[in-house]
Amino acid sequence: MKLLRVGPAGAEVPAIMDAEGRLRSLAGIVPDIAGDTLLPEGLAALRALDPARLPELPADSRIGPCVGQIGKFICIGLNYADHAAESNLPVPPEPVIFLKANSAIIGPNDDVLIPRGSKKTDWEVELGVVIGKRASYVTEAEAMEHVAGYCVINDVSEREYQIERAGTWDKGKGCDTFGPIGPWLVTADDVPDPQNLSMWLEVDGHRYQNGSTRTMVYGVRHLVHYVSQFMTLHPGDVISTGTPPGVGMGVKPAPVYLKGGEVMRLGIEGLGEQTQRVGHA
């Protein structure tokens, strides 16, 4: 099941994609793709619907972030060994957790804006995990019961702010527009193995990232368990699980960063694609 949110920024309506790829409105059925809608019983109710009986939305509608009212936007750093190597950093002995500001969240095809004064804005295709059931101190065996589904995320990053400006990573990760999410939330029942998904990212047609979730250091099951030891996860919280190699910072012989005017395209097998034009704040 593919769930999404359609319409102008801040006024999106919940929607579902039918078997033919048409967008069908869920307005009046659920308030949003958020909160209780993502509980197991909420998803079961949506699964019982006949999308063909729902109003069709225009095919050219803007697609917003696939999850609304996100409580926590949690990210995992250096979760692919080869990305850690290209960053000249060791593989962490435990998952690295940081938070991305909710004000960074945009739709999958909205413009990404380089912050004022930025010199090193970079890209990162990542698998997003959407929580569908409250999780606190869950075991690894229980962890997947708490996952509603998956989505594509571009963890846009300003490397100077992240690494060279003192303090935590958050200031280089949470700039406005640095969190494109979507196009769809694909429910967990349609993703039988989240650890076997190909993923890629291109800038102006040049493929920089070409990886797979197979090479994650810490998989989805462990991450949900691990994060829940430090904070309670609620339905609609999102965990972005790290990126494979090929980020601009790691390009040899010299890094490549976004300057403005480029087009980023990225996708994950079965979860759809994103396209963002790069502008300036």
Side-chain angles (χ1 to χ4, degrees), residues 138-147 220-225:
V138 300
T139 66
E140 285 203 42
E142 300 167 322
M144 301 306 276
E145 300 170 14
H146 297 263
V147 174
V220 171
R221 181 183 299 276
H222 182 74
L223 291 175
V224 173
H225 150 72

Side-chain angles (χ1 to χ4, degrees), residues 9 20 22 30 48 56 63-64 82 94 100 106 108 118 139 141 145 195 198 228 237 243 260 265 268 272 281:
E20 285 72 44
R22 291 186 289 257
V30 294
E56 188 172 351
I63 297 176
D82 32 15
E94 297 183 41
K100 206 170 177 84
I106 58 172
S118 166
T139 66
E145 300 170 14
Q195 302 307 149
S198 60
S228 80
D237 286 350
T243 197
R265 290 184 60 245
I268 298 178

Side-chain angles (χ1 to χ4, degrees), residues 23-153:
L23 306 182
R24 301 285 185 164
S25 175
L26 291 171
I29 296 173
V30 294
D32 202 353
I33 307 301
D36 289 352
T37 301
L38 297 170
L39 291 168
E41 53 268 35
L43 294 179
L46 293 180
R47 208 170 281 116
L49 296 172
D50 179 3
R53 304 175 72 89
L54 300 172
E56 188 172 351
L57 294 165
D60 60 353
S61 298
R62 171 188 174 269
I63 297 176
C66 59
V67 182
Q69 306 169 48
I70 294 172
K72 292 188 286 295
F73 193 173
I74 302 156
C75 299
I76 308 299
L78 302 172
N79 197 29
Y80 288 71
D82 32 15
H83 171 56
E86 73 174 353
S87 303
N88 296 313
L89 294 167
V91 173
E94 297 183 41
V96 173
I97 298 175
F98 63 93
L99 298 177
K100 206 170 177 84
N102 286 14
S103 52
I105 296 169
I106 58 172
N109 304 314
D110 292 343
D111 291 350
V112 166
L113 302 179
I114 295 174
R116 296 176 187 178
S118 166
K119 300 174 184 176
K120 298 181 179 180
T121 295
D122 203 348
W123 55 81
E124 295 189 7
V125 59
E126 305 204 359
L127 173 68
V129 178
V130 180
I131 299 300
K133 181 180 170 185
R134 184 181 182 276
S136 178
Y137 297 108
V138 300
T139 66
E140 285 203 42
E142 300 167 322
M144 301 306 276
E145 300 170 14
H146 297 263
V147 174
Y150 304 92
C151 62
V152 181
I153 293 175

